[in-house]
């Protein structure tokens, strides 16, 4: 059963744009040509976004390919599919990659075991708050938010993974 998602490249140097397209093409096994626009929050940088369809797990593969370029700011989403949770990956230079399970409404979900581990390790209310913020990706969200707003109204490309 195929699923779908979105790749948001919020910020990349111009010289890396072709590499991003090649990375996405490797995962989808299909040619990729994105429409790159200026990223107003980061002068000189480019941004692009594309929707994709493919098998469950494609979002993780896309994020793994894109994280090879530490200077990229990106998000990859994958919608839930039968028997598979949705996911969101966020990458910020200097912060690395964050993965979250995503529910049908688009909210980050924390599992019971994850919450129990956080509660067992947190010795103070402040430590609990910090651990929950980290698990939810709060710092990644805060750093990416200006880049998200700058992308309103930007061109969107739809890609489909080749069967095989």
């Amino acid at each position: 059963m195929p699923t779908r998602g979105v790749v948001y490249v919020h910020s990349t140097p111009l010289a890396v744009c072709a590499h991003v397209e090649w990375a996405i093409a490797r995962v989808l096994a299909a040619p990729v040509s994105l429409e790159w626009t200026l990223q107003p929050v980061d002068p000189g940088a480019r941004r692009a976004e594309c929707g994709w369809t493919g098998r469950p797990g494609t979002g993780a593969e896309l994020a793994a390919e894109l994280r090879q370029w530490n200077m990229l700011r990106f998000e990859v989403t994958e919608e839930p599919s039968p028997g598979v949770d949705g996911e969101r990956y966020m990458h910020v230079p200097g912060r690395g990659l964050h993965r979250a399970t995503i529910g049908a409404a688009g909210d980050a979900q924390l599992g019971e075991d994850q919450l129990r581990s956080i509660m067992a390790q947190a010795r103070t209310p402040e430590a609990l708050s910090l651990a929950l913020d980290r698990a939810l990706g709060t710092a990644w969200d805060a750093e990416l938010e200006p880049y998200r707003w700058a992308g309103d109204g930007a061109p969107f490309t739809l890609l489909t993974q080749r069967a095989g």
Side-chain angles (χ1 to χ4, degrees), residues 18-147:
H19 296 280
V20 169
E21 290 178 358
W22 298 332
I24 295 170
R26 273 193 300 277
V27 172
L28 298 180
V32 172
S33 179
L34 301 178
E35 191 168 339
W36 295 96
T37 59
L38 293 173
Q39 173 50 272
V41 176
D42 188 357
R46 301 295 187 269
R47 67 165 320 283
E49 56 190 65
C50 60
W52 59 267
T53 59
R55 69 188 177 289
T58 299
E61 292 176 36
L62 289 164
E65 282 287 327
L66 294 175
R67 76 185 287 193
Q68 295 179 54
W69 293 278
N70 292 332
M71 75 291 292
L72 291 181
R73 284 179 181 78
F74 70 85
E75 291 179 84
V76 176
T77 66
E78 179 172 321
E79 291 185 4
S81 55
V84 181
D85 292 328
E87 296 180 311
R88 179 174 62 214
Y89 296 87
M90 298 180 285
H91 184 271
V92 173
R95 191 170 291 285
L97 187 68
H98 180 270
R99 181 209 167 271
T101 299
I102 301 298
D107 295 327
Q109 309 282 310
L110 299 180
E112 178 182 346
D113 288 339
Q114 191 176 9
L115 287 171
R116 289 186 191 283
S117 175
I118 289 170
M119 291 185 325
Q121 293 175 16
R123 302 290 180 220
T124 66
E126 294 80 16
L128 178 61
S129 179
L130 286 171
L132 288 172
D133 275 344
R134 179 157 179 78
L136 292 171
T138 301
W140 283 264
D141 268 329
E143 287 191 45
L144 289 174
E145 193 61 20
Y147 294 86

